[in-house]
Amino acid sequence: VAHVMFGGLTHRPAVALGELLVRCTPPGLDRVFLADSGSVAVEVALKMAAQYWRGRGRPEKCRFVALRGGYHGDTLGAMSVSDPATGRHEAFATIPRHHFVARPPSRGADFTKAIESLAEVLARDDVAALILEPLVQGAGGMHFYDPGYLQQARQLCDDHDVLLICDEIATGFGRTGHWFACDEARIAPDILCV
């Protein structure tokens, strides 16, 4: 559906695609917003998260938490939640500033310190959502991390009233051995970008 702006309209093939996506995604994800690229999907996810909190009377929840080493795209919002050291942030003085936490250690390693650091940041009153690439940071050097980290991150988001956005642009549709990487961790995000 590339290069199509629905503008409040739809058509049968788009509805059929949306229904198929709902059947494939983790339980609880039953709405679809079609975008024309991964960067735009991330932009939409960020806007949806901020709009969600504004609609719930919590407009102060407008900042995001992201993992160092992450990459979410080349549009302004997507760049703002990509690693500040490798995402060319210094070239864009007006880019929004968000919170970054250390990337989880490699798969199988002890991730206690990384989870403690994440918990500290998620406890802030201004956090709308945590965005991450589940289990594999592709552009961040094919960095694989433990499904247990993702499980605990999901729990921390629940505990701190923070949305979880899983960016599965690079990991979705079987690329990690499961239909979605978040399936391996047996978690469902609040927003899934595919």
Side-chain angles (χ1 to χ4, degrees), residues 2 6 76 80 127 135 138 143-144 169 179 191:
F6 288 95
L76 193 63
S80 75
V127 176
L135 304 185
H143 177 74
F144 289 76
I169 302 302
W179 198 236
I191 301 172

Side-chain angles (χ1 to χ4, degrees), residues 45-46 49 53 61 63-68 72 81 99-102 104 114-115 118-119 121-122 126-134 145 149-158 161-167 187 189-193:
L46 298 174
W53 290 115
K61 291 177 79 69
R63 307 263 314 268
F64 297 91
V65 176
L67 305 181
R68 292 208 176 268
H72 300 286
V81 292
H99 307 292
F100 289 89
V101 295
I115 283 292
L118 178 61
V121 177
L122 291 180
D126 64 346
V127 176
L130 165 64
I131 181 167
L132 49 71
E133 300 158 281
Y145 63 92
Y149 177 90
L150 190 54
Q151 290 167 349
Q152 289 189 31
R154 166 78 270 180
Q155 186 60 55
L156 286 171
C157 286
D158 292 343
D161 213 15
V162 169
L163 299 176
L164 175 61
I165 302 170
C166 284
D167 175 355
I187 62 106
D190 299 295
I191 301 172
L192 178 67
C193 299

Side-chain angles (χ1 to χ4, degrees), residues 169-190:
I169 302 302
T171 57
F173 299 112
R175 293 185 188 105
T176 62
H178 289 82
W179 198 236
F180 295 102
C182 58
D183 291 338
E184 182 176 345
R186 296 179 311 282
I187 62 106
D190 299 295

Side-chain angles (χ1 to χ4, degrees), residues 11 34 37 80 161:
H11 50 75
L34 299 174
S37 70
S80 75
D161 213 15

Side-chain angles (χ1 to χ4, degrees), residues 1-3 33-44 72-75 169 193-194:
V1 202
H3 308 293
F33 186 99
L34 299 174
D36 66 349
S37 70
S39 294
V40 173
V42 168
E43 291 284 331
V44 169
H72 300 286
D74 287 328
T75 56
I169 302 302
C193 299
V194 293

Side-chain angles (χ1 to χ4, degrees), residues 54-131:
R54 182 169 292 283
R56 295 187 60 95
R58 307 272 313 271
E60 73 281 1
K61 291 177 79 69
C62 59
R63 307 263 314 268
F64 297 91
V65 176
L67 305 181
R68 292 208 176 268
Y71 174 76
H72 300 286
D74 287 328
T75 56
L76 193 63
M79 283 177 51
S80 75
V81 292
S82 295
D83 188 285
T86 61
R88 297 183 304 268
H89 288 196
E90 70 281 351
F92 300 94
T94 60
I95 199 164
R97 301 290 176 205
H98 298 293
H99 307 292
F100 289 89
V101 295
R103 73 180 348 172
S106 296
R107 192 176 184 124
D110 180 15
F111 52 84
T112 304
K113 285 184 182 178
I115 283 292
E116 289 170 352
S117 170
L118 178 61
E120 242 177 75
V121 177
L122 291 180
R124 295 177 54 106
D125 290 336
D126 64 346
V127 176
L130 165 64
I131 181 167

